[in-house]
């Protein structure tokens, strides 16, 4: 190791004898002082060596040994690379990454040099339908190296305009002979009531340098809990002419909240039933405010506290084999299977403003000028409604991958390598929801206060009392989602030459398809549970009866179900004896029980059985959208590529040069489809309805072809033995979000107020990239790296937000009859199909260029030369990004979720068998969604600054106690500073969401045999 370090860094060293342990020896006048480089420092040392020897802009993270990766999560590991930002789940765990200011879909993830796709929807508050890969599905214990390439070469698989990340799993010849390592760790999330565990076992054997096998397993069971607040948007009231005579009435949009025209019965607060609620009323009951302030001030649409808790299980296995019949011929097989099963409970305690009739009293707002909107800071709301959303969440995702390949050195200067790949991923999301609600006209009053953080929402009712809830106005939902992705391909490369000049060419064929199916049987389940019609399994043309909780026969089934027979004609002759709710209002409180954290919860097991859930869930028909908000759709992309590349090394004026240049040509055939509802040709006179009867669900497909030429060139010059100058120019391509390509229209919410329209004509993103960097390697694992980069992106997608009457969607095949009953009710509450407005979002390629410029700083510095205590060091990454759009972009399109500044700083100590490390990550707040949110024209969504501090440590007991055979003890704390992830709506004091996962502790043992 000492000789290797001397060669890499030109550092004066004393080389140990053959039996010495790997070490880095620094000499001074006093003699030889030794710092043993193992563990984390050895990983940094390997990364620095790889970075120095690379031609392009590349960073890597290496494991020192099997099962000894320096981080517990792949996403967290990659955050140590300059220019890489981590996307986190609400639990605080890293899930996805983005590189250099572009979203995670602009990063191409490879598993053992081959494309991989994961079918899941991403974080629990997300609805990924794109090309993101959830890295938390892949445990670090089974990997040996991660490589991030930010300047592409012609040989690299296309698809990552931001960068390419290759995840290399363990192989037997990574460590020859017999190897066995194992680990077991106990985990405890501070705010969860139970502990969890994780562990791994990895074993390999090689024989006579020709054949080797490796097998490994990693597993974990995490008891998770996250506390949070969500609003599902903010809204202002939709005032009538009688309530506002101002010419600016409803000028800011929104209007999801309707103040009633007269005081309802039992509204509370001393209000007299039947009194007109006009402009004079509003001004008198909200002293000090103008009618425009009342009109334009926003409150949460669905202000709710959220509890998310349960068990998260993961298991992953690898099997790898290598066969080397000769020194020049090698065959290998990499396989991996990973599975994640989240069995969680999600309870949300909600103040319902959207589509309801609260009466504002004594409002205060945060500014006098509300022309562009303002925020309500306090007030009292009479005639209020609260409801609870109880729902088990069962998410399962798996990934199976098989990658065989070979390398053959045909002649000293001729090398052939080839690889095939196949992987498949499946995802199921089961999300039933039970929503009991407080009784209307119950005198319920909400007292509201907002100091800029999480608002205080206090009801005059005891919301922890089961007797406060009933069915009328409530509902139940059955919404499922099923996804499957499959990738297969073949890649071959032929290279001729030596270090001075190598010419390389190759071909690639890839076939990737992805399907999303949504299921919704809410109407039938609701009819049985609380709609007084348990025998009617399918919704009729007039919609399912709303929840009324009746347990005795009511109106005849024929009035609601005028058909006959079975299927969509069921119900005309349904006998009255079959009517009655399975769970009437009188029985409902018995299903509401004390939860594990002091709030009401649902006795789901008993409710599931008594409501006949399994039947309705098992017979759920396909729908256009799921509870994640993802639209049903299909995409298949078949691509064929060829490339030619030359590379070499030379010496110019005493400086070593390394270079490569080439071009890649890629042709893509793309087929996209969506699920649309059409009238039943057998009886087209019957109206449509949202349970697909009498509709026939049909897949509608669009096909297109396009090709791209992607040149690239890179130069690395050794200005000194320890200083490298790099420059690169390239064109890269990323294909468009499959969901944006989907033909058709979808409403993702129960209010039918916001929808999406696909655009199959979208072109891929093309990015012209320039990189310029200077690296100084300071010795051992140390280096300072400074990089400037620019990306000019053509074809960047922007969303058009179009506000239109609901009736205007008829030409697109959407009308009142295609909606589910709850959406129909929401349309009715906003004035019916001709008066209710909707906001449709449609993507298109922007007529302009998005330019992203940035600076990256990477600094890894051991401090042995300056401190009397050996083993200390620090590592720092800083990324600064500025983006600007030209042409159409001058009016404001940007890449979303791009922080202007990210910074990761770590301090480490490793010596005498002890390793201690603190890592602080920082991401500046940024815009995360475009304007026109919840129908408010100027409202965009933003994320706050995020800072997280983690601690990790390990203690090699055999070194510390000087006894062979002892294990390594590890202790880690994740989120030591108890960071909360927060976003806001238009204004910084309008919290959109906030999640608090608390700290997580881990204590473990690792052994090597």
């Amino acid at each position: 190791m000492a000789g290797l370090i001397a060669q890499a860094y030109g550092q004066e060293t004393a080389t140990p004898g053959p039996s010495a342990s790997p070490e880095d020896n620094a000499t001074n006048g006093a003699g030889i002082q030794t710092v043993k480089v193992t563990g984390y420092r050895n990983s940094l040392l390997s990364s620095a060596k790889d970075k120095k020897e690379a031609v392009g802009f590349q960073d890597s993270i290496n494991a020192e040994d099997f099962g000894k990766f320096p981080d517990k999560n792949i996403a967290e590991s990659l955050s140590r690379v300059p220019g890489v930002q981590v996307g986190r789940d609400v639990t605080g765990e890293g899930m996805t990454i983005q590189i250099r200011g572009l979203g995670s879909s602009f990063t191409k993830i490879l598993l053992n040099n081959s494309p991989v796709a994961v079918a899941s929807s991403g974080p629990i508050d997300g609805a990924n339908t794109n090309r993101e890969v959830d890295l938390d599905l892949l445990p670090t214990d089974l990997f040996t190296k991660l490589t991030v390439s930010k300047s592409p070469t012609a040989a690299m698989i296309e698809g990552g305009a931001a960068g390419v990340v290759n995840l290399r799993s363990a192989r037997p010849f990574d460590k020859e002979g017999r190897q066995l390592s194992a680990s077991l760790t106990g985990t405890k999330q501070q705010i969860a009531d139970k502990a969890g565990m994780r562990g791994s076992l990895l074993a390999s054997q090689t024989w006579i340098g020709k054949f080797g096998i490796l097998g490994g397993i990693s597993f974990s069971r995490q008891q998770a809990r996250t506390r949070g607040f969500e609003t599902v948007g903010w809204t202002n009231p939709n005032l009538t002419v009688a309530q506002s005579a101002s010419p600016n009435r409803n000028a800011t949009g929104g209007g999801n909240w309707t103040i009633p025209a007269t005081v309802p019965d039992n509204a509370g607060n001393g209000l007299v039933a039947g009194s007109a609620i006009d402009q004079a009323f509003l001004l008198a009951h909200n002293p000090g405010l103008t009618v425009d302030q009342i009109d334009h001030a926003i409150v949460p649409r669905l202000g709710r506290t959220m509890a998310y808790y349960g068990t998260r299980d993961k298991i992953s296995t690898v099997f790898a084999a290598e066969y080397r019949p000769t020194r020049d011929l090698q065959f290998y097989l990499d396989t991996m299977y990973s599975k994640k099963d989240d069995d969680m409970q999600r309870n949300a305690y909600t103040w319902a403003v959207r589509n309801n009739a609260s009466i504002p009293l004594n409002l205060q707002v945060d500014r006098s000028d509300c022309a562009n909107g303002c925020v309500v800071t306090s007030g009292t709301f009479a005639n209020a409604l609260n409801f609870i959303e109880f729902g088990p969440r069962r998410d399962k995702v798996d990934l199976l991958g098989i990658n065989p390949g070979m390398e053959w050195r045909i002649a000293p200067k001729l090398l052939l390598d080839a690889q095939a790949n196949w992987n498949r991923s499946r995802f199921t999301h089961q999300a039933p929801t039970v929503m009991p609600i407080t009784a209307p006209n119950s005198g319920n009053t909400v007292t509201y206060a907002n100091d800029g953080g999480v608002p205080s929402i206090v009801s005059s009712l005891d919301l922890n009392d089961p007797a406060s809830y009933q069915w009328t106005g409530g509902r139940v939902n059955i919404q499922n989602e099923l996804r499957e992705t499959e990738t297969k391909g073949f890649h071959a490369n032929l290279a001729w030459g030596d270090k001075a000049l190598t010419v390389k060419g190759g071909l690639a064929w890839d076939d990737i398809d992805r399907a999303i199916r949504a299921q919704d049987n809410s109407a039938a389940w609701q009819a049985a549970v609380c709609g007084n019609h348990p025998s009617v399994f399918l919704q009729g043309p007039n919609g399912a009866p709303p929840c009324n909780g009746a347990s005795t026969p009511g109106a005849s089934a024929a009035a609601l179900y005028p058909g006959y027979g079975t299927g969509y004609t069921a119900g005309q002759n349904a006998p009255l004896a079959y009517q009655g709710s399975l769970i009437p209002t009188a029985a409902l409180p018995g299903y509401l029980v004390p939860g594990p954290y002091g709030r009401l919860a649902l006795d789901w097991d008993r409710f599931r059985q008594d409501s006949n859930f399994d039947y309705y869930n098992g017979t759920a028909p396909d729908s256009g959208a799921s509870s994640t908000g993802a639209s049903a759709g299909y995409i298949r992309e078949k691509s064929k590529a060829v490339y030619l590349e030359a590379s070499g090394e030379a010496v110019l004026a005493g400086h070593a040069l390394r270079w490569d240049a080439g071009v890649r040509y890629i042709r893509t055939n793309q087929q996209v489809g969506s699920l649309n509802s059409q009238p039943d040709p057998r009886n087209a006179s019957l109206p449509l309805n949202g349970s697909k009867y009498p509709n026939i669900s049909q897949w509608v497909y669009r096909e297109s072809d396009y090709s791209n030429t992607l040149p690239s060139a890179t130069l690395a010059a050794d200005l000194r033995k320890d200083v490298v100058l790099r420059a690169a120019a390239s064109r890269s391509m990323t294909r468009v979000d499959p969901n944006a390509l989907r033909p058709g229209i979808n409403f993702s919410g129960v209010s039918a107020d916001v929808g999406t329209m696909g655009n199959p004509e979208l072109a891929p993103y093309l990015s012209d990239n320039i990189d310029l960097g200077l690296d100084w390697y300071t010795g051992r694992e140390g280096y300072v790296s400074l990089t400037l980069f620019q990306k000019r992106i053509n074809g960047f997608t922007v969303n058009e937000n179009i506000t239109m009457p609901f009736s205007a969607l008829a030409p697109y095949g959407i009308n009142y009859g295609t909606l589910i009953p709850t959406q129909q009710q929401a349309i009715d509450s906003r004035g019916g199909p001709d008066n209710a407005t909707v906001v449709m979002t449609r993507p298109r390629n922007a007529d302009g260029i998005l330019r992203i410029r940035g600076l990256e700083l990477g600094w890894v510095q051991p401090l042995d030369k300056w401190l009397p205590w050996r083993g200390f060091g620090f590592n720092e990454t800083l990324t600064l990004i500025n983006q600007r759009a030209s042409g159409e972009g001058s009016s404001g399109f940007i890449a979303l979720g791009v922080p202007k500044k990210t910074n990761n700083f770590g301090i480490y100590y490793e010596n005498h068998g002890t390793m201690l490390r603190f890592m602080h990550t920082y991401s500046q707040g940024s815009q995360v969604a475009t304007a026109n949110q919840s129908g408010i024209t100027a409202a965009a969504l933003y994320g706050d600054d995020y800072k997280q501090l983690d601690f990790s440590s390990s203690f090699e007991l055999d070194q510390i106690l000087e006894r062979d055979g002892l294990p390594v003890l590890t202790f880690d704390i994740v989120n030591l500073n108890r960071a909360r992830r927060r976003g806001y709506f238009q204004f910084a004091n309008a919290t959109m969401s906030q999640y608090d996962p608390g700290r997580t502790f881990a204590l473990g043992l690792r052994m090597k045999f």
Side-chain angles (χ1 to χ4, degrees):
M1 175 66 75
L4 178 64
I5 298 170
Q7 181 179 3
Y9 303 116
Q11 181 178 350
E12 184 181 355
T13 61
T15 304
S19 61
S21 301
E23 57 186 22
D24 186 349
N25 298 287
T27 61
N28 56 29
I32 297 177
Q33 294 186 352
T34 300
V35 177
K36 188 172 183 179
V37 180
T38 60
Y40 180 66
R41 293 193 68 180
N42 189 63
S43 174
L44 293 178
L45 182 66
S46 299
S47 299
K49 178 178 180 295
D50 289 346
K51 184 178 182 69
K52 186 173 188 292
E53 294 178 350
V55 179
F57 292 82
Q58 177 179 297
D59 293 271
S60 63
I61 301 170
N62 300 272
E64 180 201 10
D65 202 350
F66 286 151
K68 203 174 179 182
F69 212 81
D71 301 281
K72 305 301 185 293
N73 179 291
I74 286 179
E76 302 291 353
S77 295
L78 293 171
S79 72
R80 294 196 274 117
V81 173
V84 175
Q85 178 194 356
V86 174
R88 300 180 185 275
D89 195 0
V90 299
T91 60
E93 184 176 10
M95 289 193 71
T96 60
I97 64 166
Q98 63 181 55
I99 300 176
R100 288 185 168 180
L102 291 173
S104 54
S105 61
F106 287 84
T107 299
K108 186 74 171 181
I109 303 292
L110 306 179
L111 179 60
N112 295 313
N113 290 310
S114 297
V116 62
V118 175
S120 84
S121 61
I124 68 162
D125 62 335
N128 288 353
T129 57
N130 213 328
R131 308 174 194 278
E132 297 90 349
V133 173
D134 292 353
L135 297 176
D136 68 321
L137 187 64
L138 306 172
T140 55
D141 298 324
L142 306 181
F143 287 83
T144 57
K145 188 171 186 176
L146 315 176
T147 303
V148 180
S149 300
K150 291 175 281 189
S151 58
T153 65
M156 287 184 186
I157 295 173
E158 75 292 333
V164 177
V165 177
N166 186 37
L167 313 177
R168 166 69 151 73
S169 60
R171 286 181 180 168
F173 277 99
D174 292 342
K175 299 277 289 186
E176 294 195 41
R178 178 177 297 173
Q179 306 290 330
L180 178 63
S181 62
S183 67
L184 185 64
T185 301
T187 62
K188 176 64 169 67
Q189 190 180 5
Q190 190 173 22
I191 64 173
D193 61 351
K194 296 180 182 179
M197 64 178 297
R198 66 172 183 262
S200 66
L201 180 66
L202 198 64
S204 69
Q205 174 74 60
T206 61
W207 291 271
I208 322 175
K210 288 190 175 183
F211 182 68
I213 58 173
L214 176 144
I217 184 171
S218 175
F219 60 89
S220 72
R221 163 160 284 197
Q222 179 184 1
Q223 300 294 333
R225 180 189 175 202
T226 295
R227 300 172 295 201
F229 173 81
E230 302 166 329
T231 66
V232 196
W234 287 59
T235 187
N236 53 338
N238 185 11
L239 298 186
T240 64
V241 173
Q243 291 168 344
S244 173
S246 170
N248 297 319
R249 180 173 61 91
N250 301 329
T252 59
N256 303 128
W257 157 35
T258 301
I259 300 172
T262 59
V263 175
D265 291 337
N266 198 26
N269 289 275
L271 300 179
V272 178
S275 300
I277 303 179
D278 53 16
Q279 179 169 316
F281 177 99
L282 294 176
L283 292 175
H285 287 82
N286 295 278
L289 296 190
T290 66
V291 72
D292 280 346
Q293 287 175 311
I294 298 170
D295 181 7
H296 299 165
I298 59 175
V299 295
R301 293 170 80 235
L302 292 174
R304 64 193 185 198
T305 55
M306 180 272 286
Y308 183 69
Y309 54 89
T311 302
R312 313 185 79 177
D313 291 331
K314 299 177 188 176
I315 187 167
S316 299
T317 62
V318 294
F319 175 78
E322 292 184 271
Y323 176 50
R324 301 179 175 183
T326 70
R327 293 181 58 184
D328 298 325
L329 182 61
Q330 172 190 356
F331 299 92
Y332 60 86
L333 174 68
D334 298 316
T335 68
M336 172 169 284
Y337 176 75
S338 292
K339 181 178 181 180
K340 181 168 65 172
D341 184 352
D342 290 353
D343 189 1
M344 307 291 287
Q345 178 77 31
R346 189 182 188 282
N347 298 338
Y349 308 87
T350 306
W351 172 36
V353 175
R354 180 192 69 187
N355 297 332
N356 284 303
S358 295
I359 302 171
L361 308 172
N362 301 312
L363 294 187
Q364 297 292 316
V365 298
D366 64 344
R367 68 200 70 187
S368 58
D369 181 9
C370 285
N372 296 314
C374 52
V375 178
V376 173
T377 56
S378 66
T380 302
F381 295 82
N383 198 43
L385 288 173
N386 293 79
F387 65 87
I388 306 181
E389 297 177 73
F390 296 113
R393 295 292 184 268
R394 192 67 181 267
D395 287 354
K396 297 181 181 180
V397 59
D398 67 8
L399 172 68
L400 173 63
I402 302 173
N403 296 72
M406 58 84 68
E407 294 181 5
W408 181 21
R409 185 166 291 281
I410 303 171
K413 290 188 176 184
L414 188 62
L415 176 66
L416 171 68
D417 68 86
Q419 183 183 51
N421 66 279
W422 176 85
N423 70 65
R424 183 220 64 215
S425 178
R426 296 173 299 192
F427 171 73
T428 60
H429 171 76
Q430 191 177 97
T433 308
V434 179
M435 288 173 277
I437 193 167
T438 59
N441 309 116
S442 62
N444 183 21
T445 296
V446 163
T447 303
Y448 173 82
N450 176 20
D451 62 2
V454 171
S456 170
I457 301 170
V458 180
S459 170
S460 61
L461 299 177
D462 181 1
L463 299 181
N464 223 27
D465 181 359
S468 295
Y469 300 94
Q470 46 85 67
W471 276 132
T472 303
R475 65 179 188 270
V476 296
N477 289 338
I478 289 179
Q479 292 179 308
N480 301 324
E481 185 176 309
L482 303 93
R483 302 187 183 195
E484 184 165 350
T485 64
E486 183 181 37
T487 69
K488 49 184 176 289
F490 175 79
H491 313 97
N493 309 280
L494 184 65
W496 176 88
D498 52 23
K499 287 186 176 181
L501 176 64
T502 297
V503 178
K504 185 177 180 181
L507 56 88
W509 168 78
D510 288 292
D511 187 349
I512 301 176
D513 66 76
R514 183 221 67 178
I516 296 180
R517 287 180 55 208
Q519 296 176 332
D520 192 318
N521 211 15
S522 302
W525 195 37
Q526 181 164 302
V529 171
C530 55
N532 205 24
H533 289 278
S535 66
V536 180
F537 299 138
L538 299 171
Q539 174 191 345
N542 294 322
C547 276
N548 56 41
S551 57
T552 58
S556 81
L560 291 169
Y561 298 86
Y564 58 89
T566 60
Y568 68 85
T569 60
Q572 178 182 9
N573 299 316
L576 294 179
Y578 285 95
Q579 298 180 34
S581 298
L582 293 177
I583 300 179
T585 285
L588 176 62
Y591 294 88
L592 306 182
V593 297
Y597 299 105
R599 300 291 295 269
L600 279 182
L602 180 73
D603 185 344
W604 170 246
D605 290 337
R606 192 160 62 91
F607 191 96
R608 175 178 187 157
Q609 179 178 349
D610 294 350
S611 67
N612 205 13
F613 169 79
D614 290 334
Y615 169 80
Y616 291 101
N617 188 59
T619 57
D622 282 353
S623 178
S626 74
S627 59
T628 69
S631 301
Y634 170 84
I635 184 169
R636 184 175 187 181
E637 292 168 332
K638 294 180 288 185
S639 60
K640 299 175 182 178
V642 294
Y643 79 92
L644 185 64
E645 181 181 281
S647 61
E649 298 182 6
V651 177
L652 180 64
H655 299 290
L657 301 179
R658 287 160 290 148
W659 59 274
D660 66 59
V663 62
R664 185 178 189 87
Y665 174 81
I666 176 75
R667 183 163 183 83
T668 304
N669 173 260
Q670 193 172 69
Q671 185 183 56
V672 294
S674 66
L675 186 66
N676 288 352
S677 297
Q678 304 293 335
D680 185 353
R682 297 170 297 177
N683 197 343
S685 63
L686 289 176
L688 300 173
N689 71 86
S691 280
K692 305 299 179 284
Y693 292 92
N695 299 356
I696 300 296
S697 296
Q698 295 182 343
W699 284 93
V700 178
Y701 296 95
R702 294 284 299 274
E703 189 168 349
S704 62
D705 294 274
Y706 56 86
S707 58
N708 300 101
T709 301
L710 308 175
S712 61
T714 309
L715 175 68
D718 294 341
L719 303 184
R720 301 188 332 188
K721 288 184 177 181
D722 57 352
V723 177
V724 179
L725 174 68
R726 287 187 178 85
S730 63
R731 169 168 285 188
S732 53
M733 179 267 282
T734 293
R735 298 179 177 91
V736 176
D737 178 353
N739 196 53
L741 293 164
R742 174 191 56 84
I745 287 179
N746 171 54
F747 285 108
S748 57
V750 296
S751 292
D753 56 349
V754 177
T756 57
M757 306 170 66
N759 185 356
E761 304 302 326
L762 291 173
Y765 311 104
L766 293 176
S767 177
D768 292 325
N769 316 301
I770 298 176
D771 301 89
L772 182 64
L774 187 67
D775 300 342
W776 173 31
Y777 296 86
T778 59
R780 298 191 183 121
E781 68 265 33
Y783 68 86
V784 180
S785 175
L786 182 67
T787 302
L788 301 173
F789 66 87
Q790 175 179 279
K791 294 182 177 293
R792 297 181 75 255
I793 303 172
N794 183 26
F796 199 83
T797 301
V798 295
N799 288 325
E800 297 177 300
N801 292 302
I802 307 169
T803 302
M804 63 178 69
F806 174 80
S807 57
L809 298 177
Y812 300 95
I814 301 295
N815 60 42
Y816 186 81
T818 62
L819 303 179
I820 62 175
T822 50
Q823 292 173 331
Q824 292 175 342
Q825 294 166 15
I827 290 291
D828 291 340
S829 72
R830 302 203 304 273
D834 293 330
N835 296 313
T837 59
V838 297
V839 179
M840 301 305 300
T841 300
R842 181 179 186 271
R844 60 178 174 82
N845 293 114
D847 183 16
I849 300 292
L850 178 66
R851 188 194 67 193
I852 298 177
R853 288 179 175 173
L855 178 148
E856 295 170 354
L857 171 67
W859 188 2
V860 178
Q861 185 59 60
L863 299 175
D864 299 329
K865 293 182 179 180
W866 296 282
L867 294 178
W869 312 282
R870 301 291 173 174
F872 282 96
F874 68 84
N875 53 287
E876 156 78 9
T877 66
L878 171 68
T879 305
L880 303 176
I881 290 176
N882 178 62
Q883 55 177 317
R884 179 187 299 174
S886 61
E888 176 186 3
S890 60
S891 62
F893 81 77
I894 62 170
L896 297 170
V898 178
K900 291 185 177 181
K901 177 182 178 181
T902 57
N903 180 66
N904 299 330
F905 179 74
I907 300 174
Y908 61 87
Y909 168 80
E910 187 167 23
N911 203 5
H912 307 301
T914 298
M915 189 281 292
L916 307 172
R917 178 162 60 111
F918 288 91
M919 178 63 70
H920 182 268
T921 61
Y922 167 78
S923 178
Q924 187 176 351
S926 62
Q927 184 176 340
V928 298
T930 56
N932 220 339
Q933 295 292 320
S934 300
I936 298 178
T937 307
L941 302 183
Y942 302 86
D944 261 354
D945 295 354
Y946 185 83
K947 303 175 183 179
Q948 180 169 315
L949 177 65
D950 299 326
F951 169 75
S952 62
S953 62
S954 65
F955 306 90
E956 299 187 28
L957 299 181
D958 56 351
Q959 291 191 44
I960 296 172
L961 301 178
E962 298 182 348
R963 290 182 57 186
D964 293 338
L966 295 179
V968 176
L969 177 68
T970 63
F971 176 67
D972 307 316
I973 306 176
V974 177
N975 197 17
L976 184 61
N977 61 323
R978 297 183 60 182
R980 299 177 176 90
R981 202 186 82 188
R982 177 181 179 270
Y984 60 90
F985 181 100
Q986 187 177 4
F987 303 107
N989 60 339
T991 300
M992 179 76 173
S993 61
Q994 180 171 294
Y995 300 104
D996 176 15
R999 301 185 182 100
T1000 298
F1001 301 91
L1003 179 65
L1005 292 174
R1006 185 171 60 237
M1007 289 286 291
K1008 181 178 179 181
F1009 304 93

